[in-house]
Structures are given as structure tokens and as C-alpha cells.
Amino acid sequence: MSNEHQHFATKAIHAGQEPDPTTGAIMTPIYQTSTYVQEWPGKHKGYAYARGKNPTRSALENCIAALENAEFGLCFSSGQGASDAIIKMLRPGDEVIATNDLYGGSYRMFTKIYEPFGIKFHFVNMYDSKNINNFINANTKMLWVETPTNPTMQIIDIKACAAIAKEKNLIFVVDNTFASPYLQNPLDLGADIVMHSVTKYLGGHSDVVMGATCTNNKVYHDQLAFIHNSCGATPGPMDSFLVLRGIKTLHIRMDRHCENGRAIAEYLKSHPKVDKIYWPGFPDHPNHAIAKTQMRDFGGMISFTLKNATVEETFQMASKVKVFSLAESLGGVESLLNHPATMTHASIPKEEREKAGVTDTLIRLSVGIEDISDLIADLKQAIG
Ligand SMILES: *Cc1c(COP(=O)(O)O)cnc(C)c1O
């Protein structure tokens, strides 16, 4: 069944999935198998060995691709596995221009794993996308953008970046984890490859670690598929099933994440003890106008600082929450509170971190889909 003309909610529930041909089971079976029987040497039904292909995983790959309006999708055993495969498309001597306020694990992989292999990374503030031009030279091969950024919720103009990438012949990658395909579709705005930490909103239930890549470029897809099978960061069928099931409510969950996120951003704004708030939905957010054009809503991620608070006072507030949980990760149904400097962004040196606004008193919230009055009451008792 082609899902090309279906709308998001229908694709979230049906794309990539057919009733099981042998039994009619409406849910895609968990094909818990490592190999497949062949009729004749080399003659099989498209499945030879499960690192290369598994039917549960194929259904999920097709579903995620449909949600990103992509022709091709691949699922990896983690978001980092997906990012790793994308960087393996490069060669020693190549250069990458990446967003400065980047997921800590991506920064660590780029600098600690790939710089020693001779790939050079420039971490650039892309609030004004023209800044990118200052770092382009004959060796530049890839532009890596995360938007909204983590944790300071900068918004980067995907269309403007696509124009630069096209002119300079760069592979343009967007990490779309924070927005999810429900709020933003970078391929439609000119990106070449979309990367996801499926662990977050796509999975949505904090029970799976997984990654994905999506593209409409067959050459890039074939390279990624070759790396995927050769290097082996492929997810198992049980995890694929859990994510297929999680995605069926993605649109409903995202609507509530956005609604609760807005209410909490407004609550924090009204609180006399709260200083800075990072949320792209405020009209005075520096790139609010771009957020409005490239995102359908503003999501459930919010960062903030308390007025004149010491690190100790910030930690006290962070340890008082009861409905929110003090934990890394994001995008699940439950609300989480995170201290980036010691948790998600601890792998970025303090100096680099502070340049990107990730101070020791910054707190990040992943607003879940609980009852909003309980979430606000919890923040109220914690902030005081
Ligand atoms: C979590 C995350 C990743 C890494 O994904 P894993 O599934 O944890 O490997 C990459 N980018 C962003 C924006 C993330 O939040």
C-alpha cells in the first residue's frame, strides 16, 4: 500500500505495515530470527541474515521514512549508531560544519572518535546561517544541523542552510530528534539526510534505545545501507516492534507535549524567581519567526535558570521535584528534569559548554503528557 497521499495520523498507524500474510495478525509480528531458510543457494524471499534485513525492522523503517516524507529509511541500534554511520560516509581530510550547541554525545563522537581519524569539525553558532559561510573551504563535505538545539532551544533556519549546502555541494544532515517528524520535516525544507534518536519522541515510552536515518537520495541511502550492514549497528526485532507500537500515538502524544510545554513555559515566565527561559514559542525568542515557519508547534522541551541562583540552589530545586523525575533523556510520556552541565552535556568541556550558553545553573525540562495542573504544582513546590 502506498502511503504517499495519506496524512500524518494515518501514516503513524499504518505506514509500512500490512496484516501478516500467514495469519492476518493486524500487528506486525516480532520476527525473532537471525537467519532465513533458502530454497536454493542464493534464492530467498529478500531476507538472508538478520543483520542485513528483518521484517519487523523493515516495517518500522518504512513507517519512519513515510513520516519524514522520505523514500528510504534505516533503523540503527541507537541514535549514536545512526550518526556514526553518517560520519562514516566521509574520508580523512574531509571537514564538517556542525551546530555549536550540539547533543553532547554527538560532540564527543566527532571530537574524540573521528578527529583522530583525520576528519575536522567546526562548531559554529548558526543563529545567523550566514556564519556557516566563514567556515567553508575546499575540504568541507558536510553540514550538520540540530534544531531546536539542545539544551538552549536555538532555532536554525533549515531552508537557508539547504541553500548554502546546495551551492557548496555539502551533504546536509539534520538531527530532527527534538522536533520529531510530527513538528518538522527537514527533507521537505531541503535537507539531504534526517537523523533521529528514535529513543526519544518516536519511541516515546522510555523503553527503547534506537536511531534512524531517512533520505530521498538513493546514492546516500545505498552508502548508509552498506555501512549499516557492514558495521552492524542494527536494532533487534523486539525493539522494532515496541517502536512501531509507540509511533501509533506519536501525533496524539506530540499535541499534548506541545500543549503542556506551552503552559509550563508561560508559568515559568510568570514566576518571579525564574530568570532566563529558552522556548521557541515566545514571540521574543530570537528566531521565533523561523520556528513558526519551519515547525508546526514548539514542542515540549524548555530550559531555564533561576534568578541569582548558585549551583547549590539549582541542585536543591532539581532534587525536590516529585512528578518530574531527575533523569537524562527526553521525549517520553513522563516528565523529566535534567541538569545538562553534569548530565547530558558533561562530555563537553566547560569552556565550550558556556560559549553555547550551557551554564552550571541551567535546567532542562522534557515536559511529558501528565495532567498539567500536577506538573505546575510540582514545579511550584520545587522552585518555591
Ligand atoms: C539522545 C540524542 C542523540 C543520541 O541518541 P541515542 O539514541 O541516545 O544514541 C542524538 N541527538 C539528540 C538531539 C539526542 O537527544
Side-chain angles (χ1 to χ4, degrees), residues 77-97:
S77 50
S78 66
Q80 288 305 96
S83 299
D84 179 66
I86 296 169
I87 299 298
K88 283 186 179 129
M89 294 167 75
L90 303 173
R91 292 294 174 262
D94 289 350
E95 298 192 12
V96 180
I97 299 173

Side-chain angles (χ1 to χ4, degrees), residues 130-155:
K130 289 193 196 75
N131 288 342
I132 295 167
N133 287 309
N134 302 331
F135 296 86
I136 297 178
N137 62 45
N139 296 325
T140 313
K141 294 285 155 56
M142 186 176 278
L143 177 60
W144 186 290
V145 165
E146 204 178 299
T147 181
T149 67
N150 178 8
T152 62
M153 313 302 153
Q154 293 180 43
I155 299 296

